[in-house]
Amino acid sequence: MKTRAVITALIILLALAFSCGREQPSVPDGENNLILYAVETSGVFGGWTAAEGAIIRASSSTHQFAAVYMTGQGGLAVLDDLVAGTYMIQAEVTIEVELEDETELFTFLGQKEMSILYDPQLTDTVFMDLVRPSPLTISEVYYCGCNRSRFYWFDQFIELYNSSPDTIWLDGYLVCRNTNIHDIIEIEAVDYALAYYVHIFPGETGVTRECPIVPGQFLVLACDAIDHTAYGGSWCVDLSGADWEFFNPLGSDYDVPGVPNLLPVSNYSNDFSMNLSHAAVYIATGEEWEYVYHYDEGINDMKEYIHIPLETIVDAVEYASSTESMQYKYITIRLDAGLAGIGMGKYSAQSVQRRALGSVLGLDSNNSTFDFEIASPPSPGWHEIVDGG
Ligand SMILES: [Ca+2]
Ligand SMILES: [Ca+2]
Ligand SMILES: [Ca+2]
């Protein structure tokens, strides 16, 4: 009983802390200097060490703000003139170490969320550890369209990357996209993600071996695997070399011969497509999922959705053109605490791609605000180095 009381008290405290963090700042804009220390805790250099020359990325989830700083002596950075709000802070550094006959790159990363109040000065520390890339990630999402005058956005694609030394078999894996689900479920209170479009790789998870992604491969999943420059103009993407295409035989979708199909498990006639400014896409192992009906206010009727258990989701990316979408997240912060693509315009022929950090591709801190950068042009099947990225 005592334990339960303590747990209840903790939950209430957590709830209070959470709600406080979500409040809009009620104080005037002002200077709050954050004195931030970056400390590397991996033990690679023996014990904890101050991380000098670390890049500090700060971004706010309560207002439009993103800035980059660098730590100096003692691993110290001063973040000047921060207005009250909630901030996500990431520290990263790549250090070259001379070994006997080669140099090795070590990349360290640390993150924290902070609530900054109207207060003259704060001191805090971000702890960093060695980056371990995730074996299978969504490495690029291209959704915004390429030609406004023709409303052309049919050249959308998703790219997957295998950073592991082994071939990964995608048989039975699901590629999912959700829709605006805020009126339907409380996303932070459930242990599944709600999907609207779901397409599947052939075969059975963990049993068949027909759909490989080999080490270092960028696998391209095209909405339609054709050369879109012929229809949308020169800014559009040539997807005739895509590895897979989403194909929906229930609709008027065109099936490109020779490019294998990802078929729908969702019972709609639409082809797989992504909203031009805000959506979440994710991949799951496909070991478990189910059809569930939810009431939909828009049509005043029940509508079929698919529940994907969170523990089967391998990677998720939520993108939006504006930070305001943090108030209306489509996928739980347990899978993606941020948003990719902030500031990207519709029909700008740009994509969001996972950043390379040091020699590490496939970095996945479950926060797309930091993990992704805007890339131009889109790079289906390869990685485009972004200047200063
Ligand atoms: Ca298609
Ligand atoms: Ca096809
Ligand atoms: Ca790419």
Side-chain angles (χ1 to χ4, degrees), residues 168-182:
I168 296 171
W169 300 95
L170 299 172
D171 302 50
Y173 273 50
L174 304 174
V175 186
C176 314
R177 198 211 105 181
N178 66 15
T179 180
N180 186 355
I181 52 176
H182 252 262

Side-chain angles (χ1 to χ4, degrees), residues 199 222-225 245-248 253-256 262 271-272:
H199 284 236
C223 287
D224 293 309
E245 72 169 337
F246 296 95
F247 174 63
N248 193 338
D253 198 10
Y254 177 64
D255 181 3
V256 176
L262 300 168
D271 191 16
F272 189 96

Side-chain angles (χ1 to χ4, degrees), residues 49-234:
T49 53
E52 292 177 7
I55 305 286
I56 305 289
R57 295 172 193 274
S59 119
S60 173
S61 52
T62 41
H63 59 281
Q64 195 81 38
F65 177 84
V68 177
Y69 310 82
M70 187 180 274
T71 61
Q73 234 173 21
L76 172 74
V78 179
L79 284 60
D80 283 322
D81 304 338
L82 299 177
V83 302
T86 304
Y87 290 81
M88 290 180 287
I89 290 169
Q90 175 169 293
E92 61 190 56
V93 68
T94 296
I95 297 171
E96 213 178 271
V97 180
E98 302 277 345
L99 299 173
E100 276 171 26
D101 50 358
E102 53 174 353
T103 49
E104 198 175 332
L105 294 177
F106 290 93
T107 299
F108 304 95
L109 185 75
Q111 280 185 351
K112 81 182 305 171
E113 190 178 45
M114 294 188 65
S115 197
I116 302 228
L117 303 172
Y118 187 59
D119 196 54
Q121 194 155 292
L122 265 177
T123 302
D124 213 323
T125 305
V126 56
F127 297 100
M128 306 162 76
D129 201 353
L130 263 181
V131 166
R132 288 170 188 85
S134 182
L136 181 66
T137 50
I138 296 171
S139 49
E140 185 176 5
V141 185
Y142 170 60
Y143 52 87
C144 75
C146 56
N147 190 329
R148 185 182 299 274
S149 64
R150 294 183 202 173
F151 301 108
Y152 199 92
W153 48 267
F154 308 102
D155 55 342
Q156 295 181 329
F157 71 87
I158 294 170
E159 183 192 74
L160 307 181
Y161 176 64
N162 178 0
S163 74
S164 83
D166 305 306
T167 294
I168 296 171
W169 300 95
L170 299 172
D171 302 50
Y173 273 50
L174 304 174
V175 186
C176 314
R177 198 211 105 181
N178 66 15
T179 180
N180 186 355
I181 52 176
H182 252 262
D183 304 329
I184 304 171
I185 58 164
E186 193 65 57
I187 59 169
E188 298 305 341
V190 296
D191 57 1
Y192 58 84
L194 195 64
Y196 180 66
Y197 294 108
V198 178
H199 284 236
I200 190 167
F201 281 90
E204 197 181 332
T205 311
V207 179
T208 56
R209 291 190 159 193
E210 296 162 18
C211 314
I213 175 169
V214 301
Q217 185 180 4
F218 293 95
L219 195 79
V220 179
L221 320 179
C223 287
D224 293 309
I226 57 169
D227 179 359
H228 293 272
T229 62
Y231 306 92
S234 60

